[in-house]
Amino acid sequence: MDVADLEPEPMHQVSTWLDAARAAGEPMPEAMAVATATADGVPSVRMLILRGTEGGITFFTDADSDKGADLSSNPRAAVVLHWLLPVHRQVRVTGAVERTGEAEADDYWRARPHHVRLSAAALRQDSVVPDRAALQAAFGELRARYPEGTHVPRPQRWCGFRVVAERVELWEEAPDALHDRFLYHQDGGGWVRERLAP
């Protein structure tokens, strides 16, 4: 690979690689690690599902969760996608985080399976519950109120976040260990692409 082989805009390149991973049969190409930190810098990382690459890395979650609290006090994040097929590739994205619009959150909410919407609406993510029976009771209460085929209202706390790319790094494994690494970063309003040492 060479710099000239890359798309001028990094999220277009990420989409191209994501499509290649899907076509190659990668089992879960949208799985990604998302790292956040508290206001005083305590880091936390978890696996989430990539839900869009337009304008950045988009995911949906409970804004009252631990990650939501991190993003409220320190709206920055780092993301890693890693694919084994067709070759070992990795994408790292860092940037500021913004909430998606309400309409975008509503659209994605409506696209989710009914039981998943019930689960997300039943309890605040990361809240302490006494036992599994309490989870099942909260879920059952909502299921009785909103049976299959009815609209489950989206809680205001359930929303989308977008990591607006400031730096994007692409990595592709090479058999001689001289791996291809490229960095996109902003310079005067445009994207600069540079090769990095492996």
Side-chain angles (χ1 to χ4, degrees), residues 13-136:
Q13 185 63 48
V14 172
S15 294
T16 297
W17 274 18
L18 180 60
D19 288 344
R22 288 178 181 133
E26 184 74 29
M28 201 165 188
E30 294 84 7
M32 61 183 183
V34 177
T36 59
T38 61
D40 55 352
V42 178
S44 182
V45 65
R46 77 287 291 160
M47 297 302 292
L48 296 175
I49 302 297
L50 171 66
R51 297 302 185 188
T53 57
E54 188 66 36
I57 298 290
T58 300
F59 60 91
F60 293 86
T61 191
D62 190 326
D64 289 345
S65 66
D66 291 346
K67 73 180 107 29
D70 285 357
L71 293 171
S72 176
S73 62
N74 183 5
R76 300 191 61 74
V79 174
V80 175
L81 293 129
H82 185 81
W83 303 297
L84 297 176
L85 302 171
V87 293
H88 287 233
R89 286 178 170 169
Q90 179 175 277
V91 172
R92 296 172 59 207
V93 179
T94 57
V97 178
E98 62 186 24
R99 280 179 73 148
T100 67
E102 296 292 302
E104 189 172 349
D106 284 339
D107 287 346
Y108 181 65
W109 177 261
R110 284 191 293 270
R112 304 182 88 202
H114 185 260
H115 71 280
V116 176
R117 283 178 277 158
L118 289 173
S119 176
L123 293 162
R124 181 181 71 80
Q125 190 178 44
D126 296 330
S127 61
V128 175
V129 292
D131 50 35
R132 184 163 182 83
L135 290 175
Q136 292 169 326

